Amino acid sequence: MFSVKASLWFVFCPVISSMAGPNPLHQRRATPDNTVIVNGVDNYCLVFPRDQHTNVGDSEYPGGMTVYCSDAAHTSPLQGTIPPGFWTNVAYSQGVGSGRYAQRQDLFLSLSTRLNSLTSFLTVTGCINPSLVDRLNPADFGGQYDSSGGPNGAGNPAGSVCVGYNHYVELLEPAGPRACIRCCDDPADCPTKLGMSFFKIPFLGSLPSQFVDQAR
């Protein structure tokens, strides 16, 4: 099993702080077991395998995935519950994105106007205790769930959404043991293409080669 100290995860997945927030006008709708949330380190929902002790990659088929939530975010019996202590070292951040919507802003707009109109993101990232959720296999090198990847860009799980945002990407590596979820307005700020280019994603940084190979 691959192990990593909690402090190293923040080298792999640094966070950026800013004043941006969600835009509920952009939100698509989905069932509670297909909806993630990022509102803080104690208020979040993540996609997990639906069956017990299942590798992330093996869960990626229609009906093979579901959503588990912290107590603060849990709203439906369709959702599982993530117990306290799942995150062993965690950080929450929000910020202005760097995607195409941000890049095309008029340079002559006032700073406040530009900040209010730029695309935004929220991120929760840290080390986890996978043994607290029986859906996970602690020896699994993990993989990715998202709203815009998969067949025809329909998401994986298909039709899944993040509350208040257009896109999300979740990386779940039980063997790490670590996880990272980001919700964003611009798809450029929630990249779904992994492989070697994944090492250059600023908000995630480098991951062990085992994770990258399995996530391709």
Side-chain angles (χ1 to χ4, degrees):
M1 178 187 299
F2 180 84
S3 62
V4 61
K5 292 183 178 179
S7 60
L8 292 179
W9 177 231
F10 296 100
V11 175
F12 299 144
C13 194
V15 294
I16 304 170
S17 296
S18 184
M19 298 299 293
N23 186 345
L25 297 178
H26 293 171
Q27 182 188 0
R28 295 178 295 160
R29 293 187 178 274
T31 57
D33 60 345
N34 211 23
T35 301
V36 300
I37 298 173
V38 179
N39 283 330
V41 298
D42 296 315
N43 192 332
Y44 62 91
C45 295
L46 300 174
V47 179
F48 284 156
R50 186 174 295 274
D51 297 326
Q52 291 182 325
H53 311 302
T54 301
N55 291 345
V56 171
D58 294 337
S59 73
E60 296 177 359
Y61 63 90
M65 297 157 279
T66 189
V67 164
Y68 272 55
C69 301
S70 64
D71 286 338
H74 194 279
T75 60
S76 169
L78 296 177
Q79 302 163 329
T81 300
I82 300 175
F86 177 73
W87 296 102
T88 61
N89 195 349
V90 63
Y92 168 77
S93 68
Q94 54 185 352
V96 174
S98 58
R100 64 178 182 272
Y101 300 148
Q103 294 170 353
R104 73 187 186 190
Q105 296 298 312
D106 188 339
L107 295 178
F108 295 100
L109 293 176
S110 68
L111 178 60
S112 61
T113 300
R114 290 179 64 199
L115 287 176
N116 288 334
S117 61
L118 293 180
T119 183
S120 58
F121 64 81
L122 300 175
T123 307
V124 170
T125 179
C127 295
I128 62 173
N129 183 352
S131 65
L132 291 183
V133 179
D134 66 0
R135 308 296 104 174
L136 303 180
N137 171 15
D140 175 25
F141 284 115
Q144 175 179 304
Y145 300 120
D146 55 66
S147 60
S148 305
N152 301 315
N156 189 29
S160 59
V161 301
C162 178
V163 172
Y165 286 84
N166 291 328
H167 308 276
Y168 80 89
V169 59
E170 174 189 330
L171 299 171
L172 182 60
E173 185 190 3
R178 55 198 175 182
C180 183
I181 183 169
R182 170 178 279 200
C183 296
C184 60
D185 285 336
D186 192 318
D189 295 314
C190 287
T192 60
K193 302 296 184 182
L194 299 183
M196 293 305 295
S197 63
F198 183 67
F199 286 95
K200 299 179 181 179
I201 297 174
F203 84 95
L204 292 171
S206 299
L207 290 178
S209 59
Q210 301 98 317
F211 178 75
V212 175
D213 290 342
Q214 185 153 339
R216 286 176 179 171

